[in-house]
Amino acid sequence: MKVTVITKDNGNRELPFDKDRLSRFIDKISSDYPDLSISDYKNEVLTNIEFKDEYSSEQITNLLALNASERIDRFEPDWTYVAATIYLHKLYKEASKNRAYDTDQKYGSLYGLLKVLGSKGVYDQTLLRDYSKEEIMELGQTIEPERDKLFSYVGILTLAHKYLATDKSSNVFELPQERFMVIAMKLMINEPSAYRLELVKEAYWALSNLYMTVATPTLTNAGKNTGQLSSCFIDTVEDSLRSIFDSNTDVANLSKNGGGVGIYFGKLRSRGSDIKGYKGVAGGIMGWMKQLNNTAVSVDQLGQRQGAFAVYLDVWHKDIFEFLDAKLNTGDERLRTHDIFTGACIPDLFMEKVENREDWYLFDPHEVKTVMGWSLEDFYDEKQGSGTFREKYQECMDHPELTKERVPAIEIMKRIMKSQLQTGTPYMFYRDTVNRTNPNKHEGIIYSSNLCTEIMQNMSPTTVQEEYLSEEGKIITEKVPGDMVVCNLSSISLARAVTNDVLERLIPIQVRMLDNVIDLNTIDVLQARHTNQKYRAIGLGTFGWHHLLAIKGISWESEEAVELADQLYEKINYLTLTASNQLATEKGAYPLFEGSEWNTGRYLERSYGIENHDGSISWSDNKWKELSEDIQNDGLRNGYLIAVAPNATTSLIAGSTASIDPVFRQEHVEEKKGFRSPVTAPDISSKTIWYYKSAFNIDQSWSIKQNAARQKHIDQSISFNLYIHRSIKAKELLGFHMQAWKSGLKTTYYTRSTSTLIEDCESCSS
């Protein structure tokens, strides 16, 4: 009788195939899932092995995982955990071999890991310098290998392929729970030694239970020697050659470390404007967008992926039509920037003109500044229906010396929707709504958003003040730093955290982790570092909304879902502000707190109070009154606090649904660099399957209602996608945009149609 030979240790050892041993292993790893068809799986695996004369132990492991993963579907979704267990067994085996400990232990010495990867130049030496051996040994004892069982197959594949620390030859050293512990150690490294270990353990608890995820750059780089920890950035470009090229250099430096960048081009002169008095010679913004496009392609983040940039432009800019066509696959290729995402900055007045089918006027920002003495983009409407922007816009319309182009507002909107149907962009940025609710309007204005439309923070350009040759022969450049926005992101796994009722415990440690990222970060661009310290802005977000609805048995298209969004995000806002207030008491408020709407109490009064005739405030709940008083007395640690990012990648790791989005379908195949795996909607069962309606089959007006309910409790914004069929009528799509604007949404992200394929920004994945 033929016996299959099993080879081990790269063929150095040969053993006869032990069928019973493998059968027992399969029984062991599947024992928690009695409803699976284990006998069929076992027979297929054993038959495959016995058919060949020789199999390596690595091939058997791969066969087991592959065969289990191929069985993942909505009827037997638990195969994902069987496949994950097999893959984890492979990781344990490789790590133990490389680190020289017994595989049965699963995890080796944390101290030993820090020593070996520190010596190889992978880990940051500060971990060994600032923590004693005894402290590290204690933290090593805290690690819970059993929490690896929480990973789905696609979750552990994603974590292992993209985030776990290896040596420089890509050999496995770090394991999942060690990645979480190293992140916790790094983020708490500067906390007072008296209670630092308790904070590390608390951060590890939050991460290892998959109650939250940190942003992709933090997940990748925390504790390592390379990279920075922030997700993305926003730059403002001044209308000068120096500013344009300096900005290009800055965004290239940010991009090389994995940061996505939003760039505001609204100050740049339009095509046909004058340069130094010479009429009609300016080339407009498209040439500079082409330059950025080349930078995005060339600065490819160590070969991992090309850079990710989004450019924003105001709808009154004379180049708006060229801008809106920039990503189309038809037309003049010299005016196309296929690798740049676009965003339209839209005032209330424009939407009113669209609704009333009135004319709209386009201007050249350079000419407006020259003739009028001010810049139109520096104003917004302080109240709905009235304000400084529309007054200044009218002045521009009426000025006899100012050139202008008149177009029907609906024609611009048609061009926006055409581009959205073909490319998914432009994003929509409702600038008046954004600036009216800006808690830090005492220090500036918000011109645009970031790559994923969830960040809303003050912006201004960096300018060169002086440049001279010193006596030593060195060129000295002095710059006035503008507000270059930095996004520090992290997200709550709603389904897991809400179901286990841990929000009150989770959010304080999460806010502390985010706040510590600000001080630990090493950002190459100095004005970004400066802005980070001034505002100490964070972006606490969420994912797993559809997952939570399914578990609770709530239909997406229901008032119950809208009400849950309202109540849940109010709670998250309250807990986040409370945590930041307590941190301010401990560590001090952010430097620009004085004069902010947090300081005056106006922000929370507007959100949770009603002003009476006598000027007093009637609060929706007395807890908000008390919190507002605490903040006014003791401050806030962070100037901006909540932002809901797309987080498609890290939600996969945590085994949940992305952001606040509905699922595309109940099951699909996830393809990433290095692996391919079937995926089902999380916790899908005979009970939950009815609540996992596909995104493209959901009435988007319900999604807008939900988002309006949560936006009331979010000081920044939300990466909110519209899902539409390719055959949608223009009137219906326009209706969704009008509803979003009237409902108080600050932004909409991609318009995803059944004909467009859009890759999510990994930088903002948190």
Side-chain angles (χ1 to χ4, degrees), residues 106 167 245 300 359 652 676:
K106 294 185 179 178
D167 67 8
F245 279 93
D300 63 356
D359 287 336
L652 274 180
R676 181 177 183 274

Side-chain angles (χ1 to χ4, degrees), residues 503-668:
L503 288 178
E504 284 83 357
R505 179 180 173 185
L506 173 65
I507 289 176
I509 193 65
Q510 191 172 4
V511 170
R512 186 180 290 267
M513 291 165 75
L514 280 168
D515 185 65
N516 286 345
V517 165
I518 295 165
D519 297 315
L520 292 167
N521 217 353
T522 54
I523 303 173
D524 290 340
V525 180
L526 297 182
Q527 62 266 33
R529 196 183 304 178
H530 181 62
T531 306
N532 213 15
Q533 291 291 337
K534 281 167 60 180
Y535 292 97
R536 302 195 66 84
I538 60 175
L540 185 144
T542 63
F543 62 88
W545 172 248
H546 202 176
H547 188 184
L548 179 65
L549 290 181
I551 288 174
K552 285 183 170 288
I554 298 174
S555 296
W556 188 281
E557 298 158 304
S558 69
E559 289 295 344
E560 191 178 359
V562 175
E563 186 177 337
L564 179 62
D566 191 3
Q567 293 173 353
L568 179 56
Y569 283 85
E570 179 177 353
K571 180 177 183 178
I572 290 169
N573 189 26
Y574 179 80
L575 293 172
T576 303
L577 286 168
T578 300
S580 187
N581 172 239
Q582 290 170 350
L583 267 185
T585 304
E586 178 186 334
K587 299 183 176 185
Y590 70 98
L592 298 180
F593 174 74
E594 290 294 328
S596 71
E597 289 193 340
W598 303 119
N599 176 224
T600 63
R602 181 70 189 112
Y603 184 88
L604 290 182
E605 288 174 2
R606 184 173 59 241
S607 301
Y608 300 105
I610 299 173
E611 187 171 348
N612 301 316
H613 294 299
D614 61 359
S616 63
I617 301 295
S618 295
W619 294 86
S620 61
D621 190 311
N622 203 52
K623 70 179 183 181
W624 285 110
K625 177 178 182 290
E626 293 171 358
L627 179 57
S628 181
E629 290 170 353
D630 288 343
I631 290 171
Q632 290 175 66
N633 291 331
D634 301 320
L636 267 187
R637 182 66 173 164
N638 314 100
Y640 298 96
L641 295 107
I642 301 180
V644 181
N647 48 47
T649 303
T650 47
S651 62
L652 274 180
I653 293 172
S656 196
T657 55
S659 192
I660 46 92
D661 284 330
V663 296
F664 282 114
R665 53 188 70 88
Q666 292 174 352
E667 55 183 283
H668 69 280

Side-chain angles (χ1 to χ4, degrees), residues 17 31 170 262 278 382 461 474 561 605 638 708 730 733:
F17 173 50
S31 60
S170 298
Y278 291 91
E382 293 83 359
K474 295 181 179 179
E605 288 174 2
N638 314 100
L733 179 54

Side-chain angles (χ1 to χ4, degrees), residues 237-347:
V237 184
E238 189 58 271
D239 185 37
S240 72
L241 199 62
R242 180 62 181 265
S243 180
I244 291 167
F245 279 93
D246 280 357
S247 175
N248 197 294
T249 300
D250 289 340
V251 300
N253 277 316
L254 295 169
S255 181
K256 75 177 182 182
N257 289 319
V261 189
I263 303 135
Y264 177 64
F265 265 17
K267 292 183 175 292
L268 300 188
R269 66 194 69 193
S270 62
R271 180 184 294 277
S273 183
D274 70 276
I275 299 176
K276 293 186 176 180
Y278 291 91
K279 304 294 183 183
V281 294
I285 67 162
M286 293 313 300
W288 307 125
M289 282 186 67
K290 290 288 280 189
Q291 181 194 49
L292 264 183
N293 196 92
N294 292 336
T295 302
V297 173
S298 302
V299 184
D300 63 356
Q301 302 174 1
L302 296 176
Q304 293 296 308
R305 61 181 184 274
Q306 68 181 41
F309 301 152
V311 173
Y312 286 79
L313 194 71
D314 299 293
V315 290
W316 64 81
H317 196 289
K318 278 189 176 181
D319 289 346
I320 188 64
F321 284 107
E322 288 184 3
F323 175 78
L324 293 175
D325 290 348
K327 285 180 69 67
L328 299 183
N329 291 319
T330 56
D332 189 347
E333 272 300 309
R334 292 172 298 177
L335 300 177
R336 297 293 176 264
T337 53
H338 300 293
D339 304 291
I340 298 286
F341 301 96
T342 56
C345 304
I346 299 172

Side-chain angles (χ1 to χ4, degrees), residues 581-757:
N581 172 239
Q582 290 170 350
L583 267 185
T585 304
E586 178 186 334
K587 299 183 176 185
Y590 70 98
L592 298 180
F593 174 74
E594 290 294 328
S596 71
E597 289 193 340
W598 303 119
N599 176 224
T600 63
R602 181 70 189 112
Y603 184 88
L604 290 182
E605 288 174 2
R606 184 173 59 241
S607 301
Y608 300 105
I610 299 173
E611 187 171 348
N612 301 316
H613 294 299
D614 61 359
S616 63
I617 301 295
S618 295
W619 294 86
S620 61
D621 190 311
N622 203 52
K623 70 179 183 181
W624 285 110
K625 177 178 182 290
E626 293 171 358
L627 179 57
S628 181
E629 290 170 353
D630 288 343
I631 290 171
Q632 290 175 66
N633 291 331
D634 301 320
L636 267 187
R637 182 66 173 164
N638 314 100
Y640 298 96
L641 295 107
I642 301 180
V644 181
N647 48 47
T649 303
T650 47
S651 62
L652 274 180
I653 293 172
S656 196
T657 55
S659 192
I660 46 92
D661 284 330
V663 296
F664 282 114
R665 53 188 70 88
Q666 292 174 352
E667 55 183 283
H668 69 280
V669 174
E670 188 72 31
E671 294 194 54
K672 297 284 185 184
K673 190 175 181 180
F675 67 86
R676 181 177 183 274
S677 172
V679 180
T680 66
D683 286 315
I684 195 166
S685 66
S686 58
K687 291 182 179 179
T688 62
I689 193 169
W690 310 105
Y691 302 100
Y692 277 125
K693 192 173 183 179
S694 166
F696 292 106
N697 294 324
I698 285 173
D699 179 352
Q700 295 303 294
S701 64
W702 282 104
S703 299
I704 294 170
K705 287 178 185 178
Q706 288 178 20
N707 214 41
R710 66 171 64 87
Q711 181 65 80
K712 293 185 299 184
H713 311 293
I714 293 173
D715 59 295
Q716 296 186 75
S717 190
I718 303 153
S719 297
F720 173 71
N721 296 302
L722 285 171
Y723 293 89
I724 58 173
H725 285 277
R726 182 71 180 88
S727 58
I728 190 172
K729 297 285 193 292
K731 183 179 179 181
E732 186 180 0
L733 179 54
L734 176 60
F736 289 143
H737 285 308
M738 296 303 294
Q739 182 189 356
W741 165 62
K742 289 181 178 180
S743 299
L745 270 61
K746 295 179 180 179
T747 57
T748 61
Y749 190 27
Y750 289 115
T751 302
R752 296 181 184 265
S753 77
T754 47
S755 67
T756 55
L757 179 64

Side-chain angles (χ1 to χ4, degrees), residues 379-492:
F379 301 97
Y380 66 93
D381 281 349
E382 293 83 359
K383 296 181 179 179
Q384 287 184 334
S386 66
T388 313
F389 172 79
R390 63 184 67 212
E391 293 170 4
K392 296 294 184 181
Y393 175 85
Q394 188 66 43
E395 287 181 37
C396 290
M397 280 177 54
D398 295 340
H399 201 288
E401 296 178 21
L402 198 63
T403 61
K404 55 194 77 75
E405 293 179 21
R406 186 177 71 177
V407 294
I410 191 65
E411 291 303 316
I412 298 176
M413 197 67 186
K414 285 179 182 177
R415 196 72 71 90
I416 286 173
M417 293 190 294
K418 174 186 175 183
S419 180
Q420 287 175 334
L421 284 170
Q422 291 189 29
T423 71
T425 64
Y427 313 144
M428 306 291 269
F429 175 84
Y430 298 111
R431 66 189 313 275
D432 290 324
T433 304
V434 168
N435 281 288
R436 277 195 294 268
T437 56
N438 176 12
N440 292 292
K441 56 173 66 80
H442 68 305
E443 283 291 331
I445 191 169
I446 303 171
Y447 294 119
S448 67
S449 188
N450 65 319
L451 187 61
C452 304
T453 74
E454 82 277 15
I455 299 301
M456 311 279 131
Q457 298 173 26
N458 285 346
M459 303 164 57
S460 58
T462 295
T463 55
V464 176
Q465 187 174 41
E466 187 178 4
E467 193 166 53
Y468 59 91
L469 191 66
S470 72
E471 293 180 0
E472 294 81 16
K474 295 181 179 179
I475 298 173
I476 309 296
T477 303
E478 294 185 3
K479 293 184 177 182
V480 178
D483 283 336
M484 187 178 208
V485 176
V486 183
C487 320
N488 305 299
L489 302 174
S490 171
S491 295
I492 299 167

